[in-house]
PDB file of all heavy atoms in Angstrom:
ATOM      1  N   VAL A 198       2.311 -16.780  23.588  1.00  0.00           N
ATOM      2  CA  VAL A 198       2.887 -17.123  22.192  1.00  0.00           C
ATOM      3  C   VAL A 198       3.087 -18.665  22.079  1.00  0.00           C
ATOM      4  O   VAL A 198       2.740 -19.284  21.074  1.00  0.00           O
ATOM      5  CB  VAL A 198       4.173 -16.368  21.994  1.00  0.00           C
ATOM      6  CG1 VAL A 198       4.890 -16.874  20.635  1.00  0.00           C
ATOM      7  CG2 VAL A 198       3.876 -14.925  21.775  1.00  0.00           C
ATOM      8  N   ALA A 199       3.567 -19.286  23.192  1.00  0.00           N
ATOM      9  CA  ALA A 199       3.704 -20.603  23.157  1.00  0.00           C
ATOM     10  C   ALA A 199       2.405 -21.434  23.026  1.00  0.00           C
ATOM     11  O   ALA A 199       2.263 -22.400  22.327  1.00  0.00           O
ATOM     12  CB  ALA A 199       4.391 -21.111  24.427  1.00  0.00           C
ATOM     13  N   ALA A 200       1.242 -20.856  23.721  1.00  0.00           N
ATOM     14  CA  ALA A 200      -0.034 -21.401  23.645  1.00  0.00           C
ATOM     15  C   ALA A 200      -0.483 -21.457  22.225  1.00  0.00           C
ATOM     16  O   ALA A 200      -1.121 -22.294  21.574  1.00  0.00           O
ATOM     17  CB  ALA A 200      -0.913 -20.723  24.582  1.00  0.00           C
ATOM     18  N   LEU A 201      -0.281 -20.294  21.490  1.00  0.00           N
ATOM     19  CA  LEU A 201      -0.771 -20.162  20.100  1.00  0.00           C
ATOM     20  C   LEU A 201       0.011 -21.195  19.160  1.00  0.00           C
ATOM     21  O   LEU A 201      -0.627 -21.756  18.332  1.00  0.00           O
ATOM     22  CB  LEU A 201      -0.419 -18.619  19.635  1.00  0.00           C
ATOM     23  CG  LEU A 201      -0.785 -18.423  18.172  1.00  0.00           C
ATOM     24  CD1 LEU A 201      -2.300 -18.644  17.899  1.00  0.00           C
ATOM     25  CD2 LEU A 201      -0.299 -17.031  17.698  1.00  0.00           C
ATOM     26  N   ALA A 202       1.385 -21.318  19.479  1.00  0.00           N
ATOM     27  CA  ALA A 202       2.131 -22.258  18.738  1.00  0.00           C
ATOM     28  C   ALA A 202       1.601 -23.702  18.919  1.00  0.00           C
ATOM     29  O   ALA A 202       1.474 -24.516  18.027  1.00  0.00           O
ATOM     30  CB  ALA A 202       3.619 -22.201  19.036  1.00  0.00           C
ATOM     31  N   VAL A 203       1.286 -24.013  20.189  1.00  0.00           N
ATOM     32  CA  VAL A 203       0.823 -25.379  20.423  1.00  0.00           C
ATOM     33  C   VAL A 203      -0.631 -25.517  19.739  1.00  0.00           C
ATOM     34  O   VAL A 203      -0.941 -26.620  19.207  1.00  0.00           O
ATOM     35  CB  VAL A 203       0.576 -25.572  21.975  1.00  0.00           C
ATOM     36  CG1 VAL A 203      -0.263 -26.867  22.372  1.00  0.00           C
ATOM     37  CG2 VAL A 203       1.956 -25.732  22.636  1.00  0.00           C
ATOM     38  N   THR A 204      -1.524 -24.507  19.699  1.00  0.00           N
ATOM     39  CA  THR A 204      -2.786 -24.588  18.990  1.00  0.00           C
ATOM     40  C   THR A 204      -2.556 -24.833  17.565  1.00  0.00           C
ATOM     41  O   THR A 204      -3.296 -25.700  16.956  1.00  0.00           O
ATOM     42  CB  THR A 204      -3.600 -23.238  19.261  1.00  0.00           C
ATOM     43  OG1 THR A 204      -3.608 -23.180  20.647  1.00  0.00           O
ATOM     44  CG2 THR A 204      -4.860 -23.508  18.668  1.00  0.00           C
ATOM     45  N   ARG A 205      -1.657 -24.107  16.990  1.00  0.00           N
ATOM     46  CA  ARG A 205      -1.334 -24.193  15.632  1.00  0.00           C
ATOM     47  C   ARG A 205      -0.797 -25.770  15.232  1.00  0.00           C
ATOM     48  O   ARG A 205      -1.000 -26.362  14.255  1.00  0.00           O
ATOM     49  CB  ARG A 205      -0.300 -23.251  15.072  1.00  0.00           C
ATOM     50  CG  ARG A 205      -0.804 -21.799  15.188  1.00  0.00           C
ATOM     51  CD  ARG A 205      -1.876 -21.632  14.093  1.00  0.00           C
ATOM     52  NE  ARG A 205      -1.432 -21.771  12.846  1.00  0.00           N
ATOM     53  CZ  ARG A 205      -0.963 -20.865  11.977  1.00  0.00           C
ATOM     54  NH1 ARG A 205      -0.882 -19.619  12.513  1.00  0.00           N
ATOM     55  NH2 ARG A 205      -0.608 -21.050  10.826  1.00  0.00           N
ATOM     56  N   PHE A 206      -0.033 -26.284  16.233  1.00  0.00           N
ATOM     57  CA  PHE A 206       0.557 -27.601  16.068  1.00  0.00           C
ATOM     58  C   PHE A 206      -0.551 -28.596  16.177  1.00  0.00           C
ATOM     59  O   PHE A 206      -0.556 -29.583  15.428  1.00  0.00           O
ATOM     60  CB  PHE A 206       1.615 -27.934  17.196  1.00  0.00           C
ATOM     61  CG  PHE A 206       2.209 -29.294  16.991  1.00  0.00           C
ATOM     62  CD1 PHE A 206       3.094 -29.593  16.101  1.00  0.00           C
ATOM     63  CD2 PHE A 206       1.817 -30.263  17.941  1.00  0.00           C
ATOM     64  CE1 PHE A 206       3.707 -30.871  16.003  1.00  0.00           C
ATOM     65  CE2 PHE A 206       2.271 -31.546  17.951  1.00  0.00           C
ATOM     66  CZ  PHE A 206       3.269 -31.867  16.959  1.00  0.00           C
ATOM     67  N   VAL A 207      -1.493 -28.477  17.086  1.00  0.00           N
ATOM     68  CA  VAL A 207      -2.643 -29.364  17.304  1.00  0.00           C
ATOM     69  C   VAL A 207      -3.596 -29.342  16.007  1.00  0.00           C
ATOM     70  O   VAL A 207      -4.200 -30.398  15.696  1.00  0.00           O
ATOM     71  CB  VAL A 207      -3.420 -29.079  18.585  1.00  0.00           C
ATOM     72  CG1 VAL A 207      -4.642 -30.026  18.655  1.00  0.00           C
ATOM     73  CG2 VAL A 207      -2.570 -29.320  19.814  1.00  0.00           C
ATOM     74  N   TYR A 208      -3.621 -28.116  15.470  1.00  0.00           N
ATOM     75  CA  TYR A 208      -4.490 -27.979  14.412  1.00  0.00           C
ATOM     76  C   TYR A 208      -3.632 -27.490  13.197  1.00  0.00           C
ATOM     77  O   TYR A 208      -3.714 -26.371  12.763  1.00  0.00           O
ATOM     78  CB  TYR A 208      -5.607 -26.963  14.551  1.00  0.00           C
ATOM     79  CG  TYR A 208      -6.581 -27.410  15.582  1.00  0.00           C
ATOM     80  CD1 TYR A 208      -6.465 -27.005  16.938  1.00  0.00           C
ATOM     81  CD2 TYR A 208      -7.776 -28.187  15.205  1.00  0.00           C
ATOM     82  CE1 TYR A 208      -7.417 -27.451  17.879  1.00  0.00           C
ATOM     83  CE2 TYR A 208      -8.653 -28.590  16.183  1.00  0.00           C
ATOM     84  CZ  TYR A 208      -8.485 -28.242  17.482  1.00  0.00           C
ATOM     85  OH  TYR A 208      -9.405 -28.625  18.425  1.00  0.00           O
ATOM     86  N   PRO A 209      -2.801 -28.409  12.633  1.00  0.00           N
ATOM     87  CA  PRO A 209      -1.861 -28.040  11.496  1.00  0.00           C
ATOM     88  C   PRO A 209      -2.582 -27.500  10.232  1.00  0.00           C
ATOM     89  O   PRO A 209      -3.637 -28.084   9.909  1.00  0.00           O
ATOM     90  CB  PRO A 209      -1.041 -29.248  11.248  1.00  0.00           C
ATOM     91  CG  PRO A 209      -1.953 -30.451  11.731  1.00  0.00           C
ATOM     92  CD  PRO A 209      -2.774 -29.885  12.913  1.00  0.00           C
ATOM     93  N   GLY A 210      -1.991 -26.499   9.697  1.00  0.00           N
ATOM     94  CA  GLY A 210      -2.688 -25.982   8.476  1.00  0.00           C
ATOM     95  C   GLY A 210      -3.891 -25.115   8.750  1.00  0.00           C
ATOM     96  O   GLY A 210      -4.490 -24.739   7.757  1.00  0.00           O
ATOM     97  N   ASP A 211      -4.181 -24.986   9.974  1.00  0.00           N
ATOM     98  CA  ASP A 211      -5.406 -24.116  10.238  1.00  0.00           C
ATOM     99  C   ASP A 211      -5.094 -23.086  11.304  1.00  0.00           C
ATOM    100  O   ASP A 211      -4.204 -23.362  12.259  1.00  0.00           O
ATOM    101  CB  ASP A 211      -6.430 -25.244  10.959  1.00  0.00           C
ATOM    102  CG  ASP A 211      -7.824 -24.947  10.227  1.00  0.00           C
ATOM    103  OD1 ASP A 211      -7.940 -24.088   9.470  1.00  0.00           O
ATOM    104  OD2 ASP A 211      -8.711 -25.911  10.523  1.00  0.00           O
ATOM    105  N   SER A 212      -5.548 -21.934  11.120  1.00  0.00           N
ATOM    106  CA  SER A 212      -5.215 -20.818  12.000  1.00  0.00           C
ATOM    107  C   SER A 212      -6.384 -20.864  13.098  1.00  0.00           C
ATOM    108  O   SER A 212      -7.338 -21.334  12.979  1.00  0.00           O
ATOM    109  CB  SER A 212      -5.151 -19.495  11.283  1.00  0.00           C
ATOM    110  OG  SER A 212      -6.322 -19.246  10.642  1.00  0.00           O
ATOM    111  N   LEU A 213      -6.066 -20.035  14.224  1.00  0.00           N
ATOM    112  CA  LEU A 213      -6.943 -19.918  15.294  1.00  0.00           C
ATOM    113  C   LEU A 213      -8.147 -19.145  14.790  1.00  0.00           C
ATOM    114  O   LEU A 213      -9.346 -19.426  15.102  1.00  0.00           O
ATOM    115  CB  LEU A 213      -6.284 -19.223  16.530  1.00  0.00           C
ATOM    116  CG  LEU A 213      -7.168 -18.851  17.680  1.00  0.00           C
ATOM    117  CD1 LEU A 213      -7.690 -20.128  18.356  1.00  0.00           C
ATOM    118  CD2 LEU A 213      -6.379 -18.021  18.654  1.00  0.00           C
ATOM    119  N   VAL A 214      -7.824 -18.126  14.015  1.00  0.00           N
ATOM    120  CA  VAL A 214      -8.937 -17.296  13.397  1.00  0.00           C
ATOM    121  C   VAL A 214      -9.353 -17.956  12.016  1.00  0.00           C
ATOM    122  O   VAL A 214      -8.445 -17.937  11.134  1.00  0.00           O
ATOM    123  CB  VAL A 214      -8.462 -15.857  13.259  1.00  0.00           C
ATOM    124  CG1 VAL A 214      -9.583 -14.947  12.589  1.00  0.00           C
ATOM    125  CG2 VAL A 214      -8.029 -15.254  14.536  1.00  0.00           C
ATOM    126  N   ALA A 215     -10.518 -18.430  11.973  1.00  0.00           N
ATOM    127  CA  ALA A 215     -10.897 -19.159  10.728  1.00  0.00           C
ATOM    128  C   ALA A 215     -11.151 -18.353   9.470  1.00  0.00           C
ATOM    129  O   ALA A 215     -11.689 -17.348   9.490  1.00  0.00           O
ATOM    130  CB  ALA A 215     -12.115 -19.974  11.047  1.00  0.00           C
ATOM    131  N   GLY A 216     -10.530 -18.781   8.392  1.00  0.00           N
ATOM    132  CA  GLY A 216     -10.881 -18.408   7.014  1.00  0.00           C
ATOM    133  C   GLY A 216     -10.425 -17.050   6.567  1.00  0.00           C
ATOM    134  O   GLY A 216     -10.002 -16.868   5.512  1.00  0.00           O
ATOM    135  N   ARG A 217     -10.369 -16.059   7.435  1.00  0.00           N
ATOM    136  CA  ARG A 217     -10.264 -14.631   7.006  1.00  0.00           C
ATOM    137  C   ARG A 217      -8.829 -14.134   6.814  1.00  0.00           C
ATOM    138  O   ARG A 217      -8.490 -13.380   5.958  1.00  0.00           O
ATOM    139  CB  ARG A 217     -11.062 -13.678   7.807  1.00  0.00           C
ATOM    140  CG  ARG A 217     -10.990 -12.165   7.479  1.00  0.00           C
ATOM    141  CD  ARG A 217     -11.922 -11.359   8.216  1.00  0.00           C
ATOM    142  NE  ARG A 217     -13.202 -11.275   7.411  1.00  0.00           N
ATOM    143  CZ  ARG A 217     -14.242 -10.597   7.835  1.00  0.00           C
ATOM    144  NH1 ARG A 217     -14.180 -10.049   9.107  1.00  0.00           N
ATOM    145  NH2 ARG A 217     -15.288 -10.476   7.155  1.00  0.00           N
ATOM    146  N   TYR A 218      -7.946 -14.634   7.772  1.00  0.00           N
ATOM    147  CA  TYR A 218      -6.655 -14.006   7.778  1.00  0.00           C
ATOM    148  C   TYR A 218      -5.582 -15.155   7.393  1.00  0.00           C
ATOM    149  O   TYR A 218      -5.732 -16.308   7.729  1.00  0.00           O
ATOM    150  CB  TYR A 218      -6.287 -13.546   9.187  1.00  0.00           C
ATOM    151  CG  TYR A 218      -7.229 -12.427   9.607  1.00  0.00           C
ATOM    152  CD1 TYR A 218      -8.398 -12.585  10.383  1.00  0.00           C
ATOM    153  CD2 TYR A 218      -7.048 -11.098   9.174  1.00  0.00           C
ATOM    154  CE1 TYR A 218      -9.222 -11.662  10.755  1.00  0.00           C
ATOM    155  CE2 TYR A 218      -7.892 -10.153   9.487  1.00  0.00           C
ATOM    156  CZ  TYR A 218      -9.082 -10.303  10.409  1.00  0.00           C
ATOM    157  OH  TYR A 218      -9.917  -9.433  10.717  1.00  0.00           O
ATOM    158  N   SER A 219      -4.442 -14.560   6.853  1.00  0.00           N
ATOM    159  CA  SER A 219      -3.255 -15.505   6.615  1.00  0.00           C
ATOM    160  C   SER A 219      -2.566 -15.650   7.949  1.00  0.00           C
ATOM    161  O   SER A 219      -2.900 -15.031   8.905  1.00  0.00           O
ATOM    162  CB  SER A 219      -2.325 -14.727   5.602  1.00  0.00           C
ATOM    163  OG  SER A 219      -1.815 -13.645   6.209  1.00  0.00           O
ATOM    164  N   SER A 220      -1.485 -16.501   7.989  1.00  0.00           N
ATOM    165  CA  SER A 220      -0.805 -16.775   9.134  1.00  0.00           C
ATOM    166  C   SER A 220      -0.088 -15.507   9.700  1.00  0.00           C
ATOM    167  O   SER A 220      -0.109 -15.252  10.814  1.00  0.00           O
ATOM    168  CB  SER A 220       0.173 -17.939   8.923  1.00  0.00           C
ATOM    169  OG  SER A 220      -0.412 -19.085   8.645  1.00  0.00           O
ATOM    170  N   VAL A 221       0.516 -14.742   8.717  1.00  0.00           N
ATOM    171  CA  VAL A 221       1.121 -13.482   9.177  1.00  0.00           C
ATOM    172  C   VAL A 221       0.183 -12.521   9.787  1.00  0.00           C
ATOM    173  O   VAL A 221       0.458 -11.905  10.760  1.00  0.00           O
ATOM    174  CB  VAL A 221       1.833 -12.972   8.000  1.00  0.00           C
ATOM    175  CG1 VAL A 221       2.463 -11.618   8.260  1.00  0.00           C
ATOM    176  CG2 VAL A 221       3.043 -13.961   7.428  1.00  0.00           C
ATOM    177  N   ALA A 222      -0.893 -12.473   9.144  1.00  0.00           N
ATOM    178  CA  ALA A 222      -1.989 -11.451   9.646  1.00  0.00           C
ATOM    179  C   ALA A 222      -2.486 -11.886  10.940  1.00  0.00           C
ATOM    180  O   ALA A 222      -2.819 -11.007  11.811  1.00  0.00           O
ATOM    181  CB  ALA A 222      -3.123 -11.410   8.581  1.00  0.00           C
ATOM    182  N   GLU A 223      -2.566 -13.241  11.159  1.00  0.00           N
ATOM    183  CA  GLU A 223      -3.084 -13.701  12.470  1.00  0.00           C
ATOM    184  C   GLU A 223      -2.201 -13.489  13.522  1.00  0.00           C
ATOM    185  O   GLU A 223      -2.465 -12.990  14.627  1.00  0.00           O
ATOM    186  CB  GLU A 223      -3.375 -15.243  12.358  1.00  0.00           C
ATOM    187  CG  GLU A 223      -3.865 -15.855  13.667  1.00  0.00           C
ATOM    188  CD  GLU A 223      -3.811 -17.317  13.720  1.00  0.00           C
ATOM    189  OE1 GLU A 223      -2.861 -17.918  13.062  1.00  0.00           O
ATOM    190  OE2 GLU A 223      -4.722 -17.805  14.243  1.00  0.00           O
ATOM    191  N   LEU A 224      -0.893 -13.600  13.350  1.00  0.00           N
ATOM    192  CA  LEU A 224       0.128 -13.280  14.284  1.00  0.00           C
ATOM    193  C   LEU A 224       0.287 -11.955  14.591  1.00  0.00           C
ATOM    194  O   LEU A 224       0.456 -11.519  15.734  1.00  0.00           O
ATOM    195  CB  LEU A 224       1.598 -13.917  13.748  1.00  0.00           C
ATOM    196  CG  LEU A 224       1.829 -15.370  13.613  1.00  0.00           C
ATOM    197  CD1 LEU A 224       2.956 -15.698  13.010  1.00  0.00           C
ATOM    198  CD2 LEU A 224       1.615 -15.948  15.063  1.00  0.00           C
ATOM    199  N   THR A 225       0.093 -10.985  13.568  1.00  0.00           N
ATOM    200  CA  THR A 225       0.020  -9.605  13.739  1.00  0.00           C
ATOM    201  C   THR A 225      -1.131  -9.190  14.575  1.00  0.00           C
ATOM    202  O   THR A 225      -1.011  -8.416  15.575  1.00  0.00           O
ATOM    203  CB  THR A 225       0.071  -8.784  12.422  1.00  0.00           C
ATOM    204  OG1 THR A 225       1.114  -9.221  11.582  1.00  0.00           O
ATOM    205  CG2 THR A 225       0.095  -7.299  12.667  1.00  0.00           C
ATOM    206  N   LEU A 226      -2.349  -9.723  14.279  1.00  0.00           N
ATOM    207  CA  LEU A 226      -3.405  -9.471  15.139  1.00  0.00           C
ATOM    208  C   LEU A 226      -3.251  -9.946  16.572  1.00  0.00           C
ATOM    209  O   LEU A 226      -3.658  -9.289  17.574  1.00  0.00           O
ATOM    210  CB  LEU A 226      -4.620 -10.157  14.577  1.00  0.00           C
ATOM    211  CG  LEU A 226      -6.003  -9.941  15.147  1.00  0.00           C
ATOM    212  CD1 LEU A 226      -6.414  -8.433  15.049  1.00  0.00           C
ATOM    213  CD2 LEU A 226      -7.081 -10.754  14.491  1.00  0.00           C
ATOM    214  N   PHE A 227      -2.701 -11.203  16.710  1.00  0.00           N
ATOM    215  CA  PHE A 227      -2.425 -11.739  18.104  1.00  0.00           C
ATOM    216  C   PHE A 227      -1.523 -10.764  18.830  1.00  0.00           C
ATOM    217  O   PHE A 227      -1.704 -10.467  20.067  1.00  0.00           O
ATOM    218  CB  PHE A 227      -1.999 -13.050  17.973  1.00  0.00           C
ATOM    219  CG  PHE A 227      -1.637 -13.699  19.262  1.00  0.00           C
ATOM    220  CD1 PHE A 227      -2.592 -14.332  20.054  1.00  0.00           C
ATOM    221  CD2 PHE A 227      -0.404 -13.886  19.809  1.00  0.00           C
ATOM    222  CE1 PHE A 227      -2.383 -14.791  21.342  1.00  0.00           C
ATOM    223  CE2 PHE A 227      -0.061 -14.412  21.020  1.00  0.00           C
ATOM    224  CZ  PHE A 227      -1.066 -14.949  21.793  1.00  0.00           C
ATOM    225  N   ALA A 228      -0.373 -10.341  18.194  1.00  0.00           N
ATOM    226  CA  ALA A 228       0.609  -9.455  18.905  1.00  0.00           C
ATOM    227  C   ALA A 228      -0.066  -8.142  19.316  1.00  0.00           C
ATOM    228  O   ALA A 228       0.238  -7.545  20.343  1.00  0.00           O
ATOM    229  CB  ALA A 228       1.782  -9.203  17.893  1.00  0.00           C
ATOM    230  N   ALA A 229      -1.022  -7.679  18.467  1.00  0.00           N
ATOM    231  CA  ALA A 229      -1.670  -6.458  18.873  1.00  0.00           C
ATOM    232  C   ALA A 229      -2.603  -6.540  20.139  1.00  0.00           C
ATOM    233  O   ALA A 229      -2.881  -5.648  20.856  1.00  0.00           O
ATOM    234  CB  ALA A 229      -2.607  -5.974  17.736  1.00  0.00           C
ATOM    235  N   THR A 230      -3.042  -7.792  20.473  1.00  0.00           N
ATOM    236  CA  THR A 230      -3.849  -7.989  21.554  1.00  0.00           C
ATOM    237  C   THR A 230      -2.992  -8.288  22.838  1.00  0.00           C
ATOM    238  O   THR A 230      -3.673  -8.311  23.972  1.00  0.00           O
ATOM    239  CB  THR A 230      -4.846  -9.182  21.435  1.00  0.00           C
ATOM    240  OG1 THR A 230      -4.006 -10.448  21.345  1.00  0.00           O
ATOM    241  CG2 THR A 230      -5.532  -9.009  20.103  1.00  0.00           C
ATOM    242  N   LEU A 231      -1.780  -8.428  22.810  1.00  0.00           N
ATOM    243  CA  LEU A 231      -0.904  -8.750  24.045  1.00  0.00           C
ATOM    244  C   LEU A 231      -1.018  -7.676  24.981  1.00  0.00           C
ATOM    245  O   LEU A 231      -1.187  -8.038  26.215  1.00  0.00           O
ATOM    246  CB  LEU A 231       0.571  -8.924  23.570  1.00  0.00           C
ATOM    247  CG  LEU A 231       0.853 -10.316  22.865  1.00  0.00           C
ATOM    248  CD1 LEU A 231       2.366 -10.357  22.463  1.00  0.00           C
ATOM    249  CD2 LEU A 231       0.547 -11.499  23.785  1.00  0.00           C
ATOM    250  N   PRO A 232      -1.080  -6.459  24.629  1.00  0.00           N
ATOM    251  CA  PRO A 232      -1.152  -5.467  25.741  1.00  0.00           C
ATOM    252  C   PRO A 232      -2.460  -5.599  26.618  1.00  0.00           C
ATOM    253  O   PRO A 232      -2.549  -5.333  27.720  1.00  0.00           O
ATOM    254  CB  PRO A 232      -1.091  -4.142  25.051  1.00  0.00           C
ATOM    255  CG  PRO A 232      -0.349  -4.419  23.839  1.00  0.00           C
ATOM    256  CD  PRO A 232      -0.652  -5.833  23.468  1.00  0.00           C
ATOM    257  N   CYS A 233      -3.580  -5.982  25.913  1.00  0.00           N
ATOM    258  CA  CYS A 233      -4.868  -6.231  26.531  1.00  0.00           C
ATOM    259  C   CYS A 233      -4.775  -7.323  27.510  1.00  0.00           C
ATOM    260  O   CYS A 233      -5.243  -7.199  28.672  1.00  0.00           O
ATOM    261  CB  CYS A 233      -5.902  -6.521  25.536  1.00  0.00           C
ATOM    262  SG  CYS A 233      -6.106  -5.204  24.292  1.00  0.00           S
ATOM    263  N   TRP A 234      -4.050  -8.446  27.153  1.00  0.00           N
ATOM    264  CA  TRP A 234      -3.734  -9.474  28.026  1.00  0.00           C
ATOM    265  C   TRP A 234      -3.109  -9.086  29.326  1.00  0.00           C
ATOM    266  O   TRP A 234      -3.438  -9.480  30.483  1.00  0.00           O
ATOM    267  CB  TRP A 234      -3.067 -10.731  27.398  1.00  0.00           C
ATOM    268  CG  TRP A 234      -3.756 -11.488  26.378  1.00  0.00           C
ATOM    269  CD1 TRP A 234      -3.851 -11.173  25.015  1.00  0.00           C
ATOM    270  CD2 TRP A 234      -4.639 -12.601  26.615  1.00  0.00           C
ATOM    271  NE1 TRP A 234      -4.716 -12.170  24.406  1.00  0.00           N
ATOM    272  CE2 TRP A 234      -5.151 -13.011  25.343  1.00  0.00           C
ATOM    273  CE3 TRP A 234      -4.978 -13.320  27.703  1.00  0.00           C
ATOM    274  CZ2 TRP A 234      -6.051 -14.087  25.230  1.00  0.00           C
ATOM    275  CZ3 TRP A 234      -5.941 -14.345  27.529  1.00  0.00           C
ATOM    276  CH2 TRP A 234      -6.388 -14.719  26.291  1.00  0.00           C
ATOM    277  N   LEU A 235      -2.006  -8.259  29.061  1.00  0.00           N
ATOM    278  CA  LEU A 235      -1.180  -7.812  30.296  1.00  0.00           C
ATOM    279  C   LEU A 235      -2.071  -6.943  31.133  1.00  0.00           C
ATOM    280  O   LEU A 235      -1.796  -6.942  32.369  1.00  0.00           O
ATOM    281  CB  LEU A 235       0.013  -7.067  29.693  1.00  0.00           C
ATOM    282  CG  LEU A 235       0.948  -7.873  28.850  1.00  0.00           C
ATOM    283  CD1 LEU A 235       2.118  -7.065  28.391  1.00  0.00           C
ATOM    284  CD2 LEU A 235       1.429  -9.194  29.562  1.00  0.00           C
ATOM    285  N   VAL A 236      -2.993  -6.138  30.706  1.00  0.00           N
ATOM    286  CA  VAL A 236      -3.835  -5.323  31.437  1.00  0.00           C
ATOM    287  C   VAL A 236      -4.787  -6.181  32.267  1.00  0.00           C
ATOM    288  O   VAL A 236      -4.822  -5.916  33.549  1.00  0.00           O
ATOM    289  CB  VAL A 236      -4.658  -4.278  30.542  1.00  0.00           C
ATOM    290  CG1 VAL A 236      -5.688  -3.656  31.355  1.00  0.00           C
ATOM    291  CG2 VAL A 236      -3.716  -3.311  29.841  1.00  0.00           C
ATOM    292  N   VAL A 237      -5.362  -7.167  31.768  1.00  0.00           N
ATOM    293  CA  VAL A 237      -6.154  -8.144  32.508  1.00  0.00           C
ATOM    294  C   VAL A 237      -5.306  -8.870  33.586  1.00  0.00           C
ATOM    295  O   VAL A 237      -5.834  -8.930  34.731  1.00  0.00           O
ATOM    296  CB  VAL A 237      -6.769  -9.167  31.615  1.00  0.00           C
ATOM    297  CG1 VAL A 237      -7.518 -10.243  32.305  1.00  0.00           C
ATOM    298  CG2 VAL A 237      -7.697  -8.475  30.566  1.00  0.00           C
ATOM    299  N   ALA A 238      -4.025  -9.139  33.211  1.00  0.00           N
ATOM    300  CA  ALA A 238      -3.207  -9.826  34.275  1.00  0.00           C
ATOM    301  C   ALA A 238      -2.835  -8.862  35.459  1.00  0.00           C
ATOM    302  O   ALA A 238      -2.907  -9.292  36.600  1.00  0.00           O
ATOM    303  CB  ALA A 238      -1.929 -10.380  33.635  1.00  0.00           C
TER     304      ALA A 238
END
């Protein structure tokens, strides 16, 4: 989550996922992928 926040700070006004999603939708999509990250870990 901190890495996502840093990325948003480095690229202000721009989301990691370009064009298609709002900030809320992007955060929701990112939260949905967290279990996958934990499985890889």
Side-chain angles (χ1 to χ4, degrees):
V198 171
L201 180 63
V203 169
T204 305
R205 295 292 298 269
F206 178 79
V207 173
Y208 296 93
D211 229 350
S212 61
L213 179 63
V214 180
R217 176 171 269 181
Y218 299 99
S219 66
S220 295
V221 174
E223 181 192 35
L224 291 175
T225 303
L226 183 63
F227 180 77
T230 66
L231 284 178
C233 299
W234 287 94
L235 299 180
V236 169
V237 175

